Amino acid sequence: QVQLVESGGGLVQAGGSLRLSCVASGRSSSDAAMGWFRQVPGKEREPVAAMTRSGDSIWYATSVWGRFTISIDNARNTVYLQMNSLKPEDTGVYYCAARGSSSLHILTTAYDYWGQGTQVTVSS
């Protein structure tokens, strides 16, 4: 099994930055892609960024282009989400997820493992 643990969330003012980390333990080489999702109360979990472990594919929600960067340190089994120029609409619980197939995907149903989530709150 794979365990994912997120950290790095918090409260920041608009324009500030945060870096989220997600450490995977017990993972296998079949976990070939990872993603970050965001959930707001009353809304469905939505994709923010995703990438394959090989680095051949990467995806960002249009709302975060130029501000967020997803990266993976395979040696440390860690995926990061660097969030810059944060806006109040970025507020939500951020979840990391791991997928056992090598192709990039942005649907929640395509991911096999999920972290517990970390709260990000951006004040105006």
Side-chain angles (χ1 to χ4, degrees):
Q1 63 175 333
V2 174
Q3 299 288 329
L4 304 175
V5 180
E6 300 106 331
S7 63
L11 173 64
V12 298
Q13 295 185 22
S17 298
L18 286 173
R19 188 181 73 162
L20 307 184
S21 300
C22 176
V23 179
S25 61
R27 71 181 301 176
S28 67
S29 60
S30 63
D31 298 320
M34 300 190 76
W36 286 96
F37 293 76
R38 178 173 64 208
Q39 188 164 27
V40 177
K43 301 290 182 62
E44 294 293 322
R45 200 169 296 181
E46 62 183 17
V48 175
M51 71 180 296
T52 56
R53 288 166 56 190
S54 64
D56 61 351
S57 296
I58 189 166
W59 178 91
Y60 294 100
T62 56
S63 62
V64 307
W65 281 1
R67 300 188 298 117
F68 290 13
T69 302
I70 185 172
S71 61
I72 295 176
D73 184 338
N74 285 313
R76 290 178 170 269
N77 291 324
T78 302
V79 59
Y80 302 95
L81 185 67
Q82 178 66 48
M83 306 186 296
N84 298 324
S85 301
L86 283 162
K87 303 176 180 179
E89 54 262 41
D90 295 321
T91 293
V93 178
Y94 285 72
Y95 299 86
C96 68
R99 166 176 162 83
S101 299
S102 61
S103 60
L104 184 147
H105 216 292
I106 61 171
L107 295 179
T108 59
T109 54
Y111 286 82
D112 304 300
Y113 306 100
W114 293 86
Q116 82 287 352
T118 185
Q119 176 71 46
V120 172
T121 303
V122 184
S123 62
S124 60

